[in-house]
Amino acid sequence: MIWREATRLDVPAIVALLAADSLGQSREIADPSAYLAAFDAMAAEGANHQIVAEDGGRVVACYQITFISGLSLQGTRRALVEAVRVSPGLRGQGIGAQMFADAEARARAAGCRIMQLTTNAARTDAHRFYDRLGFTASHVGFKKTL
């Protein structure tokens, strides 16, 4: 399995992974134009990366990692991990653990001292997975649709 930065050609496979669960089915759409525009904007930002796992020429997992500089915690740089997905037929095979090892290596290389994520409250299996990886449910998150 190869973990690499995604290209525009990977966007349809990434969108398929995002839509391949109960929450994503109602949130993702088939029109690729919005996703391609978002991918281009992420690439232009420089600190925002879409990562994919490729196995046998096929994208089987993805995540987004954003490196954030800030003043809090004595100027601690942090990595925000989002949009974590593994192909439904491959879940439970250790790919998620490989993904977070890759994300942590990228975060450390970028000078981050904290790796953080949010997960939907309904994803109880994911909560147990993140606990096993050493994440702590230390904060309560809030979101507001604009």
Side-chain angles (χ1 to χ4, degrees):
M1 185 149 334
I2 299 168
W3 293 91
R4 61 171 175 79
E5 292 248 6
T7 68
R8 279 182 120 245
L9 295 175
D10 296 317
V11 170
I14 295 166
V15 173
L17 286 170
L18 294 174
D21 69 23
S22 59
L23 296 177
Q25 291 171 358
S26 63
R27 297 190 300 209
E28 307 305 336
I29 58 173
D31 178 16
S33 61
Y35 297 100
L36 291 170
F39 182 86
D40 292 342
M42 289 168 61
E45 290 169 3
N48 200 340
H49 306 272
Q50 183 68 51
I51 308 299
V52 296
E54 184 180 317
D55 187 26
R58 192 179 112 213
V59 171
V60 298
C62 65
Y63 71 92
Q64 178 180 339
I65 188 167
T66 306
F67 303 119
I68 305 166
S69 297
L71 297 178
S72 68
L73 299 173
Q74 302 173 29
T76 295
R77 187 164 167 85
R78 63 193 69 222
L80 175 63
V81 179
E82 299 183 292
V84 172
R85 298 293 192 282
V86 174
S87 182
L90 299 175
R91 292 178 187 153
Q93 298 182 24
I95 296 171
Q98 291 176 36
M99 174 189 301
F100 274 88
D102 183 78
E104 185 172 332
R106 291 174 192 271
R108 288 180 186 280
C112 297
R113 293 191 351 236
I114 294 175
M115 194 159 76
Q116 62 191 35
L117 58 88
T118 60
T119 183
N120 190 288
R123 296 186 189 276
T124 55
D125 289 343
H127 302 169
R128 286 190 296 276
F129 171 71
Y130 297 133
D131 283 339
R132 284 194 308 273
L133 292 179
F135 285 87
T136 303
S138 61
H139 290 67
V140 175
F142 294 89
K143 294 189 180 197
K144 181 179 180 179
T145 301
L146 304 179

